[in-house]
Amino acid sequence: MLHPTPAELPGTVEALRHAGYLQCLDVCAVDYLGAGHRDDLPPDVEAQRFEVVVTLISHQARGRIRLRVQVPEEEPRLPTLFDLFPGTENPEREVFDMFGIAFDGHPDMTRILMPEDWEGHPLRKDYAVGIVPVRFKAAGDTR
Amino acid sequence: MSAEAPPSPGRVYARGDGPVLRLSESEALTAVPSSPERMIINMGPQHPSTHGVLRLLLELDGETVTRCKPIIGYLHTGMEKTGETLTYLQGPTNVTRMDYASPLFTELAFATATETLLGLELPPRATWIRMLMCELNRIGSHLLFQATNGMDLGAVSMMLYGWREREEVLRLLEQITGLRMNHNYIRPGGVAADLPDGWRDDTLRLLEPIGGRLDEYDALLTGQPIWRERLQGVGVISAEECLALGVTGPILRSTGYSWDLRRHMPYLDYDRLSFDVICGTYGDSFDRYAIRLNEIRESIRLVRQILEGMPPGDYRVQDKKVTPPPRGRIDESMEALIHHFKIFTEGFKVPAGEVYAAVESPRGELGCYMVSDGGPKPLRMHIRAPSFINLQALPYLLEGRLVADAVAIISSVDPIMGEVDR
């Protein structure tokens, strides 16, 4: 597991690709809003609200590696990995759609799962889960 | 094989002028095609060959597809968000609805991730039941592919045969899990119930005819000139492109690249079973069809070995923290009743941490990335859905092919939209 900064991310991924990590399996994000103190990060990494997790696989070494990038709330931006692994196009769009984290240099930074005119980013912790209240009695019946 | 030149490896890195039509839905209404001979049309989302609600924007030059954009999200129900509101025991009911053709694999990925965080060691029987169920499910899923692939290409009898055999598989799954689909059978800590009486005979009775019928499919389709004409050389992709695009599963193996998690990064007890990894040569639709057909044979081989080696013992871990007490105890013990109630209302706490667990689903690497903050519900539950990633290969498979081939190509990608949109 590695903890690059947003600026270091493309360089780290490129170095790993040269080291045999030939496939990028996944890009996803986590919103740590309200998660409290986090002791799973090394001391030199400052925890931020968002974390983008990139998973690479090396078929030769038969192992996966995770890159956890801390992304600040004030500036949710990252450089894209499209030029290294074009397969990150859809996952990066999903992260943008669900968390509002934009990827600089991405060829098509638009929503993917939600409608284009949707407001908000559903997987953020401050985005409420919609609840339809269950009515157990017909309206007006007070018994 | 057709005499076409292999696709250049650089096309997946193209931005503006590549085979991917990067155009938003609102722009598409007024978009001007890249040349006057071309036009942009819409295929789906309500098209019988789009396997659910896949919508494609196609840029055509006459009958030839030049660029394409898959538009997804019509089935999006926010299952990852829902997953954050469910306890670890309720989680499988949610994730099982993602890939509805092979639900047990998503349950397995979810359960494996949870167990890794908990540090649970499964009893051997639970592991082997999971393998049995997954291989039966793989047979069912690939039979579904054979059926829909046949239907899309006009081989209607294949559709009926594939559906008929899949029904037999579903009947056995129903007998074991109680449900035809969305089983919620593989749960953190083991499986929901032990195998029912007579499961061995029923499984053998299922496998017996399917082997022979696979040979019938071979006779019906594999050697048939029309079938080969429509699939061979159609939708070609190279191994380099698959790797760059993150594509896994039968599409990656069709290029001759041997990669199967069951073999190369074994999970459960797959390293104790013998099977072949089926690979293609040309990376075309025909190879993908043949791989899936032969994977059914390999799965039958695996199920037979599992029948031989099924160990006795417990079907779930006896850790009081995650395992509810047996039904009989609840009637006689107040503590057992409270214990049962607590597990099903409050759930069990999982140590803080993050984990990625992956299994080889019939469509490729299915991963579950889970983050726990130490509570009874995951902080984040993300499913790496193989169909979602594999769909990125579609524009490259379609480039330069006719609209009539598009149906064959979509079918050969075998996307399950429930998993794509989640």
Side-chain angles (χ1 to χ4, degrees):
Chain A
M1 200 186 306
L2 295 172
H3 297 269
T5 64
E8 290 166 3
L9 177 67
T12 316
V13 172
E14 190 168 11
L16 284 170
R17 192 176 69 163
H18 284 299
Y21 287 87
L22 291 179
Q23 210 169 27
C24 178
L25 291 174
D26 196 20
V27 178
C28 75
V30 188
D31 183 357
Y32 281 99
L33 180 72
H37 177 67
R38 292 164 59 199
D39 48 9
D40 58 333
L41 296 173
D44 55 328
V45 177
E46 195 193 339
Q48 300 284 355
R49 176 177 170 186
F50 296 113
E51 181 177 286
V52 169
V53 184
V54 179
T55 311
L56 305 176
I57 188 167
S58 165
H59 295 154
Q60 205 183 0
R62 302 196 177 170
R64 301 189 183 88
I65 191 166
R66 274 200 299 284
L67 286 78
R68 299 171 64 187
V69 190
Q70 302 299 317
V71 183
E73 182 181 0
E74 311 81 57
E75 205 203 350
R77 305 194 79 80
L78 271 182
T80 182
L81 297 178
F82 180 85
D83 299 309
L84 297 163
F85 291 109
T88 56
E89 181 176 351
N90 276 4
E92 283 182 356
R93 281 178 68 194
E94 191 190 339
V95 169
F96 169 71
D97 193 355
M98 295 292 151
F99 291 90
I101 301 171
F103 289 85
D104 293 324
H106 188 283
D108 188 16
M109 198 76 271
T110 51
R111 287 189 181 272
I112 185 165
L113 295 177
M114 304 302 285
E116 273 175 10
D117 51 358
W118 193 265
E119 279 178 28
H121 300 284
L123 276 176
R124 287 187 172 195
K125 287 288 178 188
D126 50 9
Y127 188 99
V129 184
I131 292 175
V132 181
V134 181
R135 271 179 32 198
F136 292 101
K137 287 179 180 170
D141 188 353
T142 51
R143 275 186 299 160
Chain B
M1 290 297 297
S2 68
E4 275 176 296
S8 83
R11 63 177 183 161
V12 288
Y13 297 97
R15 282 164 172 271
D17 47 355
V20 184
L21 180 64
R22 295 195 173 91
L23 200 64
S24 77
E25 287 166 64
S26 46
E27 284 166 358
L29 295 173
T30 51
V32 183
S34 52
S35 90
E37 284 90 60
R38 297 186 178 178
M39 64 172 174
I40 294 174
I41 65 151
N42 199 38
M43 183 171 170
Q46 302 293 346
H47 190 278
S49 74
T50 54
H51 291 241
V53 280
L54 172 64
R55 176 178 160 200
L56 297 176
L57 278 182
L58 299 172
E59 190 192 67
L60 302 179
D61 184 353
E63 275 279 299
T64 311
V65 180
T66 50
R67 294 195 291 166
C68 154
K69 178 187 187 178
I71 296 178
I72 60 177
Y74 290 93
L75 227 50
H76 178 63
T77 46
M79 293 168 104
E80 292 187 0
K81 185 82 173 173
T82 312
E84 295 173 5
T85 66
L86 301 176
T87 66
Y88 290 95
L89 206 58
Q90 294 166 333
T93 54
N94 177 38
V95 295
T96 192
R97 281 157 174 79
M98 288 182 177
D99 183 352
Y100 41 76
S102 52
L104 287 159
F105 292 91
T106 332
E107 293 174 21
L108 179 63
F110 181 91
T112 312
T114 312
E115 284 152 7
T116 313
L117 284 173
L118 282 165
L120 284 184
E121 187 79 34
L122 282 188
R125 188 173 173 86
T127 307
W128 282 65
I129 294 178
R130 285 180 175 191
M131 284 200 292
L132 171 75
M133 298 304 287
C134 283
E135 289 314 315
L136 288 173
N137 203 173
R138 193 185 308 274
I139 297 173
S141 174
H142 281 335
L143 284 169
L144 176 76
F145 163 79
Q146 299 297 341
T148 51
N149 194 36
M151 180 174 71
D152 289 342
L153 290 161
V156 181
S157 36
M158 188 56 233
M159 178 193 89
L160 295 172
Y161 297 153
W163 232 263
R164 180 184 67 188
E165 265 72 274
R166 176 171 179 263
E167 201 56 40
E168 304 284 328
V169 178
L170 290 186
R171 197 167 297 145
L172 181 64
L173 291 180
E174 183 184 10
Q175 208 176 341
I176 296 174
T177 70
L179 292 163
R180 280 161 45 89
M181 294 164 81
N182 306 335
H183 309 282
N184 186 21
Y185 183 69
I186 298 177
R187 299 178 187 178
V191 294
D194 206 352
L195 297 168
D197 293 342
W199 64 274
R200 203 179 291 266
D201 294 339
D202 291 333
T203 312
L204 282 173
R205 210 171 300 134
L206 168 80
L207 297 184
E208 217 56 66
I210 287 188
R213 285 171 186 175
L214 290 177
D215 297 337
E216 285 177 21
Y217 304 165
D218 255 342
L220 178 70
L221 299 175
T222 310
Q224 191 207 80
I226 301 170
W227 186 257
R228 297 185 85 103
E229 197 66 36
R230 287 220 54 191
L231 290 178
Q232 282 186 327
V234 172
V236 181
I237 194 162
S238 69
E240 289 76 24
E241 287 171 335
C242 280
L243 291 177
L245 291 169
V247 170
T248 48
I251 306 180
L252 177 60
R253 288 195 285 276
S254 74
T255 63
Y257 195 94
S258 170
W259 183 257
D260 186 322
L261 291 180
R262 292 176 293 169
R263 163 63 59 82
H264 297 104
M265 292 176 79
Y267 54 97
L268 298 178
D269 267 347
Y270 277 110
D271 45 354
R272 292 175 54 193
L273 304 176
S274 79
F275 62 99
D276 292 330
V277 177
I278 311 290
C279 287
T281 312
Y282 304 105
D284 59 1
S285 297
F286 184 81
D287 281 0
R288 293 190 281 275
Y289 150 78
I291 283 174
R292 293 190 179 106
L293 186 67
N294 286 307
E295 279 189 2
I296 302 178
R297 293 197 168 100
E298 290 306 315
S299 288
I300 292 176
R301 242 178 98 188
L302 282 166
V303 171
R304 286 191 191 280
Q305 292 172 54
I306 296 168
L307 288 180
E308 291 285 312
M310 177 67 76
D314 214 339
Y315 62 92
R316 58 185 179 184
V317 69
Q318 280 309 328
D319 181 336
K320 293 285 177 288
K321 203 177 137 194
V322 296
T323 314
R327 181 67 188 81
R329 289 275 300 142
I330 296 174
D331 295 335
E332 55 196 36
S333 157
M334 187 65 199
E335 285 71 29
L337 182 65
I338 294 170
H339 181 205
H340 184 273
F341 184 74
K342 288 281 258 186
I343 280 190
F344 281 97
T345 52
E346 199 177 276
F348 47 83
K349 290 195 167 64
V350 168
E354 46 104 53
V355 68
Y356 178 87
V359 299
E360 181 78 25
S361 101
R363 282 157 199 88
E365 169 158 343
L366 198 161
C368 177
Y369 180 71
M370 195 180 283
V371 183
S372 168
D373 57 355
K377 294 170 184 174
L379 178 79
R380 174 91 166 99
M381 193 276 299
H382 170 74
I383 296 287
R384 189 249 183 222
S387 299
F388 177 69
I389 308 284
N390 290 355
L391 213 53
Q392 296 183 109
L394 199 55
Y396 304 98
L397 297 171
L398 285 173
E399 188 190 15
R401 304 305 312 187
L402 300 177
V403 179
D405 291 335
V407 176
I409 291 171
I410 297 168
S411 177
S412 79
V413 174
D414 194 20
I416 296 290
M417 295 314 287
E419 183 183 58
V420 173
D421 294 340
R422 284 161 289 150

